[in-house]
């Protein structure tokens, strides 16, 4: 019988990490081994803390390290992944970081199973066909409207048919500055390129501040306004959705299925954005995709890191023809580009294909990853709980 | 000007930690120093991971370590605590463990401010009077109904006027076993002692399994059924609330104000149970207490650890006369009892008083804490990020 024999974590980082809102500055790769088979996954954000949640000492029966529910488990089919997921949920109930840690492991288990069965993960999820996705270039706003304009020009030059600007100065200054950035983006993109705007929770729970931006967003024909508020601020999302015609998008902070569902049902978002590296992996993300489809809401991946994470975030909605748009890292740091040999490149129509090859269909470049490896050692209670190794 | 000069964490643990659902087996004490003043707080659950979230390297601008938003900050009044809280929320947005780490720090900041102003924290929160609370003995179910009966007898012998049994075998076997435990509890307590039942999320999102227990809970006059489901399973809570007369209680897993509010508004719980060591500290817990009162829902603390954590969890509803019941660790491990010199003891009527002394009103027993100190060392990127010290 196949069992999970080993789980290894590799904390990778750019030599310098800055305060810009660019999530591609570090990564936490996960490799799972079961017998002679392996699979790869990637946890989103804060590698050290996610490693600690895998190896920490138990606090009590409902606060065990994630590793305790994973290593040694049977792994024959998808039903084993959901069984392990349930055990993690109960056994690590009081360990807040657990869903982020488990997400990368869960992806790696799917990748491994796909390799064993020689099928792409989306087929294991029940889809018969994977439809091409239209990537939008995901990019931070420039520091000035002039820089935002240049970035938009560059995206159009690269034949992107959709672009999302995010974070940066929006919501931090006066309304007119924001309006100038939105207009610069639209002008740079021209009339035909889709424009999305992401404000990174800048308004907290201030509905009026967010509502003040709606007319200018409508004017530049924004496809959506993303994350005006905290992920859990459902009532604020619902209030804002009634204030104008601009559609709302959110969900990257959801760390379980329920949170995403509530953004749909109570928050009235039109686009639900799920990161497989946070929500508990590909299984719960697929459940959100199904639920969103049943409610007429569009599923979109959230991905700002490597193409391994990108593939894992595309699998859950690969077979949904109507959910066509996908997030695509536009200008990631070298780390995020280099740690995989395979890349999901756009074709001449501007679309990308979800991989047809087994598992997640992404080959990790081990030699490249080694160049970014961060040495880590965690000791507690007289034991070495984790030591980074060169055995990558 | 007073500033946060230093934040120290002390990971304490019993020599042996078992899988029983007893949260008093370890603790994470936090000491904050600002000038000559100090304050103490306590984070709930998984000390190593919460320490890692304070010291980890930054991943990007919205995924910084909690420490980066705390150390060096101005600390003159309560408004500074809420300002720092907002900074933590934005700067550590993508760091899932952050609210648990911040909770203990936040408590310590209130304790420190109370010490400076020579006022109890509940006065700083705006309450003019602190009402006595009726503690319920919080205890795990026995392994057998006979053992549950003995525990109930013991609680009655100790003059508790209310008792909560939790976890253990409930929901894991057949209905008749659960019924026997409930009946044994009621028989042991006699007719007059209040009985609460906590099932520790055992039913996941299975409404029918939970509903099957409602008639037997009604029969033994349970004040509430606690945590039948995952904290985020709002729809399941709402469904169950319509299935019988038994009132529902939940909220200990809420790690921000919104989550607690949604349990009230969408989950239709009658009791909202907040742990100041998880929700982001005393400030957001007070906000929940106010909101619950406005909705006719009863606020209850969640506390299964030390009397420092107990005091911190009582402050947010100290001045609410109608919220009389409080959770009270019945038989905590030696660690949880010994690490404070002060204890909130019951008076002859069975009530406890929220401390009138400055801050949280609890003196930490440093010598006792030292006996339980866990050596920890965290290294990354060639630096020692954390090393436990004897400087407690």
């Amino acid at each position: 019988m196949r069992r999970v024999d080993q789980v290894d974590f590799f904390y990778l980082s750019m030599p310098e990490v800055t305060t810009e809102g660019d999530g591609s500055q570090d990564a936490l790769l996960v490799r799972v081994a079961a017998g002679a088979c392996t699979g790869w996954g990637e946890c989103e954000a804060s590698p050290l803390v996610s490693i600690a949640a895998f190896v920490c000492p138990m606090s009590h029966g409902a606060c065990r390290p994630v590793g305790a529910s994973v290593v040694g488990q049977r792994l024959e089919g998808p039903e084993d992944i959901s069984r392990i997921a349930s055990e993690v949920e109960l056994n690590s109930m009081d360990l807040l970081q657990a869903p982020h840690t488990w997400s990368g492991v869960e992806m790696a288990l799917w990748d491994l199973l796909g390799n064993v069965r020689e099928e792409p993960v989306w087929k294991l999820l029940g889809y018969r066909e994977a439809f091409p996705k239209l990537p939008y270039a995901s990019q931070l706003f420039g520091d000035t409207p002039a820089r935002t304009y240049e970035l938009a020009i560059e995206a159009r030059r690269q034949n992107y048919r959709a672009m999302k600007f995010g974070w940066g100065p929006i919501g931090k200054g006066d309304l007119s500055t924001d309006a100038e950035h939105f207009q610069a983006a639209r002008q740079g993109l021209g009339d035909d390129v889709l424009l999305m705007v992401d404000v990174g929770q800048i308004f907290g729970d201030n509905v009026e501040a967010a509502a003040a931006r709606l007319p200018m967003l409508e004017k530049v024909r924004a496809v959506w306004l993303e994350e005006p508020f905290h992920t859990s601020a459902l009532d604020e999302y619902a209030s804002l959705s009634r204030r104008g015609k601009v559609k709302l998008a959110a969900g990257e902070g959801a760390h379980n299925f329920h949170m995403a569902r509530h953004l749909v049902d109570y928050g009235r978002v039109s686009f639900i954005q799920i990161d497989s590296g946070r929500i508990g992996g590909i299984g719960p993300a697929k459940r959100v995709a199904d639920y969103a489809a049943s409610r007429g809401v569009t599923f979109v991946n959230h991905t700002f890191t490597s193409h391994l994470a990108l593939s894992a975030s595309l699998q859950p909605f690969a077979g949904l023809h109507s959910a066509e748009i996908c997030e695509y890292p536009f200008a990631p740091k070298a780390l995020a580009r280099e740690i995989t040999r395979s890349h999901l490149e756009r074709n001449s129509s501007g679309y990308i294909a979800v991989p047809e090859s087994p598992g997640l269909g992404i080959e990790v470049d081990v030699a490249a990853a080694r160049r970014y490896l961060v040495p880590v050692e965690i000791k507690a209670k007289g034991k070495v709980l984790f030591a980074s190794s060169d055995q990558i």
Side-chain angles (χ1 to χ4, degrees), chain A:
Chain A
M1 187 192 294
R2 192 179 306 108
R3 292 190 178 279
V4 178
D5 296 318
Q6 194 162 340
V7 182
D8 292 306
F9 289 87
F10 303 100
Y11 177 177
L12 314 178
S13 177
M14 294 294 289
E16 190 194 4
V17 173
T18 73
T19 57
E20 68 176 329
D22 178 353
S24 71
Q25 301 183 78
D26 65 11
L28 181 58
L29 284 179
V30 188
R31 183 180 60 199
V32 172
C37 307
T38 57
W40 287 92
E42 187 177 334
C43 301
E44 231 294 285
S46 205
L48 181 69
V49 181
S50 286
I51 291 171
F54 195 83
V55 301
C56 62
M58 171 169 68
S59 284
H60 55 81
C63 191
R64 307 186 208 197
V66 174
S69 305
V70 175
V71 179
Q73 290 273 9
R74 186 183 67 231
L75 183 65
E76 297 291 346
E79 67 283 2
D80 290 316
I81 299 180
S82 63
R83 180 180 46 77
I84 302 171
S86 298
E87 292 196 26
V88 170
E89 191 169 281
L90 269 182
N91 294 338
S92 299
M93 186 190 298
D94 288 355
L95 177 46
L96 192 49
Q97 188 72 15
H100 281 200
T101 302
W102 165 242
S103 293
V105 178
E106 203 253 18
M107 276 179 209
L109 295 175
W110 282 108
D111 189 41
L112 192 153
L113 275 186
N115 290 337
V116 169
R117 298 193 176 181
E118 298 187 330
E119 288 200 309
V121 170
W122 51 265
K123 278 201 180 164
L124 300 183
L125 292 173
Y127 289 126
R128 300 174 67 173
E129 188 178 356
F131 298 99
K133 301 294 176 192
L134 182 66
Y136 63 84
S138 197
Q139 171 66 289
L140 303 177
F141 275 103
D143 290 335
T144 61
R147 179 67 189 142
T148 294
Y149 177 79
E150 286 170 10
L151 291 165
I153 290 280
E154 175 60 20
R156 190 170 62 172
R157 197 189 62 76
Q158 291 188 29
N159 289 318
Y160 277 96
R161 294 174 50 189
M163 184 164 196
K164 184 176 85 183
F165 280 101
W167 303 59
I170 305 302
K172 294 175 182 168
D174 55 19
L175 281 172
S176 62
T177 306
D178 291 3
E180 286 170 25
H181 276 280
F182 300 155
Q183 284 160 8
R186 172 49 73 205
Q187 282 166 10
L189 293 177
D191 281 346
D192 297 336
V193 177
L194 300 175
L195 168 63
M196 296 81 157
V197 171
D198 174 8
V199 296
Q201 305 189 13
I202 195 70
F203 301 119
D205 55 5
N206 186 340
V207 175
E208 293 310 316
R213 273 79 180 178
L214 294 182
M216 50 182 88
L217 288 167
E218 204 175 320
K219 197 172 163 195
V220 298
R221 293 178 290 112
V223 176
W224 70 59
L225 169 62
E226 176 173 336
E227 286 223 308
F229 311 119
H230 189 290
T231 296
S232 291
L234 302 177
D235 306 281
E236 288 75 8
Y237 275 100
S239 295
L240 188 64
S241 77
R242 288 186 286 260
R243 294 288 291 271
K245 289 181 192 161
V246 178
K247 292 178 174 177
L248 302 183
E252 67 180 77
H255 54 81
N256 59 57
F257 165 75
H258 302 288
M259 292 175 73
R261 175 176 171 174
H262 299 146
L263 277 164
V264 170
D265 291 344
Y266 303 126
R268 302 167 57 96
V269 300
S270 300
F271 297 89
I272 184 79
Q273 303 169 294
I274 299 302
D275 196 316
S276 291
R278 291 185 186 170
I279 198 167
I282 292 169
K286 169 68 160 57
R287 199 175 161 202
V288 175
D290 290 343
Y291 188 74
S294 77
R295 296 295 173 121
V297 163
T298 305
F299 185 101
V300 188
N301 64 306
H302 171 264
T303 311
F304 217 85
T305 49
S306 78
H307 281 214
L308 178 67
L310 177 61
S311 174
S313 283
L314 294 178
Q315 305 292 331
F317 71 120
L320 294 182
H321 190 254
S322 60
E324 188 180 73
I325 291 175
C326 79
E327 181 164 42
Y328 190 81
F330 174 62
K333 294 287 180 282
L335 180 164
R337 181 85 191 166
E338 292 176 11
I339 61 175
T340 64
R341 283 184 195 280
S342 347
H343 295 98
L344 308 184
E345 305 291 2
R346 290 174 300 144
N347 64 19
S348 57
S349 313
Y351 282 75
I352 60 170
V354 187
E356 297 277 342
S357 41
L360 296 175
I362 300 290
E363 190 186 350
V364 171
D365 187 333
V366 171
R370 199 178 289 129
R371 291 198 298 273
Y372 294 102
L373 193 63
V374 173
V376 174
E377 189 177 67
I378 302 175
K379 287 194 273 190
K381 298 191 173 184
K383 287 183 195 160
V384 176
L385 300 176
F386 182 86
S388 54
S389 80
D390 287 335
Q391 305 300 311
I392 185 170

